[in-house]
Amino acid sequence: MSQKQLKEAFVSNLNGTTLMEISLGFSVAPLCLLCRGLLLILYYLHYGKPLSSRKYNLLLDFVVLICPLLFSCTVLSPVIFYVPPVIAAICAGIFSKIYIQRKHDSGVSFRQIVNDFQKTYLDPEYIPSITLFRVYVNVLTSISILAVDFPQYPRRYAKTETYGTGVMDFGVGAFIFGNALVCPEVRQKSRATQPKFSFLTRQFFSIWPLIFLGVGRLVSVKSIEYHEHISEYGVHWNFFFTLAFVRLAASLILTILPKSKSWIVAMNLAVFYQLILNITPLKMFVLHGSNGKDTRAGFLNANREGLLSLFGYLAIYMASVQVGLYMLKRRNSVKEWIEALCSLILMVLVLFLFLHLSQAHVDPVSRRMANLSYCLWVLAHCLTFFICFVMIDLMLVFTKLLVSGASVPCCWNVLQLAHSSKKHDTETMPVKGESKPLHICLITAIDKNQLLFFLLANVMTGIVNIIIDTIHSKASFTLGVLHLYMFFNCLIMYILHAKNIVLKFW
C-alpha cells in the first residue's frame, strides 16, 4: 500500500466510543478553565496585583488551557476517567487556599456569602460562556485533525465509518451549534427597515469565505493527492461547503418563518428526514450508492454523504438558533442565571431520553447520514458542554467576590454587589475594587480570529502530514509535534490580538 492508502486506512472503518467517555473527556476543558481562573485569583491574593506580563499570561494559558487537552486525547486516553477528578481536586485545593486566606481578613459567614452571591448583578451584555464554547470547539477540533493521524490518538475517538459516536463526530455538529449561537438572527441585528431580499443578499455574500475555503481545500487536496476519507462527505464535498449552505438555508427559512419557532422547524426537519431514510431506499443510497456497490459515478453518487447530511445539520442549526435566543434573553442577576441553568439541565435530560429512545427504536447515531439520533446526540452534548462553562463562570464570579479586586479574563463582570446601596438600573461600571478586566487572554485572542485559527490549523496539519510519517511516530515525538503545532497556532493568534488585528474583511 502507498503512504496515501495507509493513512486513509488508518482513519477508516472505525466504530467510536461510549457517550460516557465523550462526556468525561469534554469536561476537561471547563475544569482547565476553572483552574486557570483560580490560579489568577490566587496570584492576585498573594501579590495584590493581576498577572500583567504578556509572556507569562501566554505561558499560563497554554500550559493550563491547552496542554491537558493534548495529553487527554493521546497518552492519557487510557486513564481518561481519572483526569477530570484529578483536575477537580486541584481546583478544590486552590479554592480552599483562597477561602482560608480570605477568611482571616473577614468575619462574614459562608452562608451570607452565598446569599449575597445569588443577588449579585452581572453584566447582561456579555455572556462569556458562548465565547468559551465556540473557542474550545475550535481548539479541540484543531487538536484532533492533526492528532488523529498519529497512533497515540485512540481510534475510538476518530470519526466513525457508518454508525457510532466518536469525539470527532461530535466536533462536526458542535461547529454547527456554535455558529448558530451567534448568527445574525440570534444577535437580533435590526432588520425592521431592511427588505428581506436585501438581508438575504447580505447573507449570501457573507458566506463567500467558506465557499472560497471549500474550493481551496478541494483543489489543494486533489492536486497533491493528499489522503482523505471519502465516506465523510464524498469526493468533492467538504465541511466548509456544509457550513456555507446550512447557514444560507437557515437564513432563507428565518426570513419566512419567525425565529421564535425555529425549534419547530428543527424538529419537523429531523423527524421527516429520518422517516424518509427509513421508509425509502435513501438510507441504502447514502451507505452504498445507487447500484448498491458503493459507486461514485455522477455528482450525486460522488457526494451523497455531504449533500444528504445537510438536512440533519440544518436541523441542528435551527435548534441551536432557538438555544441562542434563549441564552441571550436579558438576565441581570446570578439567581436568574441559576434558574436558566436549571431549565437547560431539564432540556438536556429530555434530549438524552429521546436519544435513548431513538437509538433503541429508530436508528443508531450516524454522523455520515446526520440522522435523528445524531441530531439529538449533538444537541444534548453541546448543551451539556455549554452548561459546564456557565457553571464554571458562576464559580469564578463567586471566587472573585471573595477576593475584592481580582479579575479573570473571559469571565462575567460584576456590575453591583448584593449589599450595594445603589440601584441596579443606575449601575453601569464594575464594582468598586474590581480591577479592569485583563485584555491579555488566549481565549479572547482565538475568538477574535476564529476562522483564521481554524484555517491555519488545517494548513499546518497538511504540512505536518506531508513532511512526517505520522502513523509510525513514537509517543514522545508525537507529543512534541502536537505541542509545537498548537503553540505556533496560539502564538500567531496571540500576536494578532496584542496588535489588535482582526483579519475579517467580509
Side-chain angles (χ1 to χ4, degrees), residues 120-172:
T120 298
Y121 288 106
L122 304 173
D123 183 0
E125 302 300 326
Y126 173 60
I127 304 173
S129 307
I130 294 177
T131 299
L132 294 169
F133 177 90
R134 298 182 72 244
V135 167
Y136 260 111
V137 166
N138 208 332
V139 167
L140 289 165
T141 302
S142 298
I143 292 172
S144 295
I145 59 175
L146 177 58
V148 70
D149 293 316
F150 289 90
Q152 287 74 27
Y153 189 87
R155 297 301 89 196
R156 65 185 186 277
Y157 288 0
K159 288 180 181 176
T160 57
E161 188 67 28
T162 302
Y163 293 104
T165 51
V167 173
M168 294 185 71
D169 293 317
F170 170 76
V172 175

Side-chain angles (χ1 to χ4, degrees), residues 378-436:
V378 166
L379 290 171
H381 265 84
C382 282
L383 280 174
T384 303
F385 199 33
F386 188 84
I387 287 169
C388 289
F389 283 123
V390 176
M391 293 174 66
I392 294 305
D393 279 334
L394 292 176
M395 290 179 190
L396 289 175
V397 168
F398 180 83
T399 312
K400 282 166 59 180
L401 296 180
L402 295 177
V403 183
S404 179
S407 180
V408 178
C410 285
C411 179
W412 261 310
N413 296 324
V414 177
L415 294 185
Q416 181 185 348
L417 297 176
H419 52 73
S420 173
S421 59
K422 295 182 180 181
K423 292 183 180 179
H424 166 64
D425 55 5
T426 63
E427 190 73 84
T428 58
M429 301 297 291
V431 295
K432 186 178 180 181
E434 182 175 4
S435 60
K436 186 178 180 180

Side-chain angles (χ1 to χ4, degrees), residues 290-440:
S290 57
N291 66 350
K293 297 180 181 179
D294 202 29
T295 178
R296 293 289 172 177
F299 183 78
L300 185 57
N301 266 306
N303 303 285
R304 55 184 184 267
E305 293 91 351
L307 293 171
L308 292 171
S309 63
L310 287 173
F311 294 102
Y313 290 126
L314 181 58
I316 293 172
Y317 190 98
M318 296 300 294
S320 306
V321 166
Q322 192 75 54
V323 173
L325 291 172
Y326 178 74
M327 295 310 303
L328 289 181
K329 284 183 179 179
R330 192 176 183 87
R331 297 179 180 87
N332 300 313
S333 68
V334 169
K335 185 177 181 180
E336 289 176 322
W337 272 104
I338 292 175
E339 292 172 354
L341 267 181
C342 293
S343 299
L344 288 175
I345 291 171
L346 179 61
M347 193 185 307
V348 167
L349 293 175
V350 171
L351 285 170
F352 272 116
L353 174 61
F354 283 138
L355 173 60
H356 174 74
L357 295 174
S358 179
Q359 290 216 91
H361 303 288
V362 181
D363 213 13
V365 172
S366 173
R367 184 262 323 150
R368 187 174 177 181
M369 291 182 284
N371 59 2
L372 175 62
S373 294
Y374 178 77
C375 295
L376 291 169
W377 174 54
V378 166
L379 290 171
H381 265 84
C382 282
L383 280 174
T384 303
F385 199 33
F386 188 84
I387 287 169
C388 289
F389 283 123
V390 176
M391 293 174 66
I392 294 305
D393 279 334
L394 292 176
M395 290 179 190
L396 289 175
V397 168
F398 180 83
T399 312
K400 282 166 59 180
L401 296 180
L402 295 177
V403 183
S404 179
S407 180
V408 178
C410 285
C411 179
W412 261 310
N413 296 324
V414 177
L415 294 185
Q416 181 185 348
L417 297 176
H419 52 73
S420 173
S421 59
K422 295 182 180 181
K423 292 183 180 179
H424 166 64
D425 55 5
T426 63
E427 190 73 84
T428 58
M429 301 297 291
V431 295
K432 186 178 180 181
E434 182 175 4
S435 60
K436 186 178 180 180
L438 289 173
H439 296 290
I440 307 168

Side-chain angles (χ1 to χ4, degrees), residues 67-98:
C67 291
L69 305 180
L70 286 167
F71 282 106
S72 296
C73 67
T74 52
V75 294
L76 292 182
S77 57
V79 292
I80 189 64
F81 286 88
Y82 299 102
V83 174
V86 169
I87 300 176
I90 294 171
C91 291
I94 299 172
F95 178 81
S96 297
K97 190 168 185 179
I98 293 171

